[in-house]
């Protein structure tokens, strides 16, 4: 895909960004963190804005730009992450046990900043420096897969040194090993996985299990009590799977058929509304009987409501990732790689997973997690078993033109 893209956002892309900021994974619940999925929107608006300002891109090809590494003489690493995405000492909220343990073991102090609230917003903070070939002041960042893909494509992040990542290389779960945007994980490692599943309230369904997208779209007993997500990749991706198509390899015609399938359910008022994670309250109360949901929300709801259940359709489910990358010109690359590798040590990965409750990308973590909490270790929404992992499907990377086209059609469907 070309680096320089049109500098104007379409109405549909602007709508997608607003959805992400107000009703998508950008709507904050206890640990449902801010996310935005308008990858094309960011690329169009972000890079267009750079061109308009006369700031040249640092690179037109993958590869990254290194700098003098000061890791040996400067025992520090600057890490930018999302809010509530790190374990915290329950008695002292200023302490982060895993980071403290890393500093004690290595002598490397972690300057940890929770300054990522939204992918697009964060990109706006760092793009001037990246485009100008300057350091961002950060050695390690955590961004969602579509943004990670673009940073790699633009040559704005550094290739990782496998010699500094023995645990990460050995313990990365198979389902996350080779995304289409970073084959072999040359530039990134996942911090967490984010799974899209079917959730339902057994009181509202009369005790019936909801096991397929077809049920959500066609079952007359659910009419008017079904929710789909306002994020295009999740709702269309799950529908593609139900229609026997692969979200990692689909055509325009496949996409159009999925949209038509959803439109039919909208027209007959089967679908009540398209939501961000504000579906959680309606599902908890039973106003929504069933919906497409994010696994992290389901784990949290189940802690307080035993009527909340989930199901992985036989057709499969959509998964995305938040990923660790090292920006160009980072001063402490080796230290950042040591920190990435540290979180792939099994006891450390377990401690993190026990706190944040998202899909752990570390293979073999289950026994360590069971030492902390057996229920969490047995929860496939946190530690997918082989059967569940085999049903996981990513949504393929989109070009900017595809993004504009698809978001326009999805916006028309949802009324955004």
């Amino acid at each position: 895909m070309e680096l320089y893209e049109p500098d104007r956002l379409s109405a549909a892309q602007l709508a997608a960004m607003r959805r992400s900021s107000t009703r998508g994974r950008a709507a904050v619940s206890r640990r449902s963190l801010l996310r935005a999925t308008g990858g094309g929107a960011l690329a169009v608006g972000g890079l267009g804005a750079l061109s308009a300002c006369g700031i040249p891109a640092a690179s037109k090809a993958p590869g990254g730009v290194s700098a003098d590494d000061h890791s040996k003489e400067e025992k520090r690493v600057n890490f930018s992450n999302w809010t509530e995405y790190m374990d915290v000492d329950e008695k002292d909220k200023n302490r982060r046990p895993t980071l403290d343990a890393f500093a004690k073991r290595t002598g490397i102090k972690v300057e940890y900043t929770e300054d990522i609230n939204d992918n697009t917003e964060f990109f706006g903070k760092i793009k001037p420096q990246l485009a100008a070939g300057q350091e961002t002041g950060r050695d390690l960042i955590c961004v969602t897969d579509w943004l990670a893909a673009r940073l790699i494509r633009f040559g704005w992040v550094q290739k990782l040194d496998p010699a500094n990542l023995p645990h990460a290389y050995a313990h990365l779960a198979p389902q996350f090993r080779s995304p289409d945007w970073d084959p072999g994980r040359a530039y990134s490692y996942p911090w967490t996985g984010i799974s899209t599943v079917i959730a339902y309230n057994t009181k509202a369904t009369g005790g019936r299990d909801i096991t397929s997208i077809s049920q959500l779209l066609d079952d007359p007993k659910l009419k008017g009590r079904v929710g789909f997500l306002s994020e295009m990749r999740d709702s269309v991706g799950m529908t593609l799977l139900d229609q026997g198509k692969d979200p990692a390899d689909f055509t325009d015609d496949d996409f159009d058929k999925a949209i038509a399938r959803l439109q039919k359910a909208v027209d007959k008022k089967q679908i009540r509304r398209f939501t961000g994670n504000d579906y959680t309250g309606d599902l908890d109360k039973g106003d929504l009987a069933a919906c497409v949901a994010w696994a992290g929300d389901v784990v949290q709801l189940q802690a307080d409501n035993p009527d909340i259940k989930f199901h992985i359709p036989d057709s499969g489910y959509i998964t995305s990732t938040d990923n660790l990358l090292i920006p160009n010109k980072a001063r402490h690359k080796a230290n950042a790689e040591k920190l990435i590798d540290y979180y792939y040590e099994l006891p450390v990965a377990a401690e993190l997973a026990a706190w944040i409750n998202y899909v752990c990308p570390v293979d073999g973590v289950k026994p360590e997690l069971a030492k902390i909490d057996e229920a969490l270790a047995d929860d496939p929404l946190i530690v997918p078993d082989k059967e569940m992992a085999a049903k996981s499907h990513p949504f393929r990377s989109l070009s900017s033109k595809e993004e504009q086209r698809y978001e326009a059609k999805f916006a028309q469907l949802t009324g955004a």
Side-chain angles (χ1 to χ4, degrees), residues 174-188:
Q175 76 180 95
F176 299 114
R177 280 194 175 270
S178 196
D180 66 351
W181 47 270
D182 187 15
R185 291 287 181 179
Y187 296 88
S188 69

Side-chain angles (χ1 to χ4, degrees), residues 196 227-232 234-235 273-277 279 292-294 410 414:
T196 304
F228 270 72
L229 292 168
S230 58
E231 303 293 357
M232 181 266 289
D234 295 301
S235 288
R273 62 191 183 104
F274 290 84
T275 75
N277 61 9
Y279 65 80
V292 177
W294 289 306
F410 190 68
T414 64

Side-chain angles (χ1 to χ4, degrees), residues 161-167 333-335 337-342:
D161 184 352
N164 291 332
L165 298 159
H167 296 97
K333 180 175 184 286
N335 290 346
E337 289 167 337
K338 288 178 182 178
L339 186 59
I340 294 172
D341 195 61
Y342 170 73

Side-chain angles (χ1 to χ4, degrees), residues 88-108:
V88 175
D89 189 302
E90 294 294 341
K91 295 181 180 179
D92 182 356
K93 300 299 183 182
N94 293 318
R95 290 193 62 251
R96 303 183 182 279
T98 58
L99 288 178
D100 292 345
F102 174 79
K104 184 176 181 180
R105 182 204 295 182
T106 64
I108 298 169

Side-chain angles (χ1 to χ4, degrees), residues 245-276:
K245 301 299 180 179
D246 183 357
D249 183 20
F250 64 89
T251 65
D252 283 352
D253 185 57
D254 295 331
F255 183 89
D256 288 345
K257 288 179 179 177
I259 289 289
R261 182 82 176 84
L262 289 164
Q263 186 67 60
K264 182 179 178 181
V266 169
D267 292 343
K268 67 181 182 182
K269 303 190 185 306
Q270 179 77 6
I271 296 176
R272 180 169 182 160
R273 62 191 183 104
F274 290 84
T275 75

Side-chain angles (χ1 to χ4, degrees), residues 294-307:
W294 289 306
D297 291 332
V298 177
V299 174
Q300 296 156 23
L301 286 171
Q302 287 181 322
D304 300 315
N305 187 344
D307 295 320

Side-chain angles (χ1 to χ4, degrees), residues 10-20 22-23 229-232 263 266 274-275 406-416:
S10 69
Q13 287 175 312
L14 287 168
M17 292 175 70
R18 286 193 295 269
R19 286 199 308 273
S20 294
T22 61
R23 295 190 291 115
L229 292 168
S230 58
E231 303 293 357
M232 181 266 289
Q263 186 67 60
V266 169
F274 290 84
T275 75
Y406 293 168
E407 284 290 1
K409 292 177 179 180
F410 190 68
Q412 186 175 7
L413 168 73
T414 64

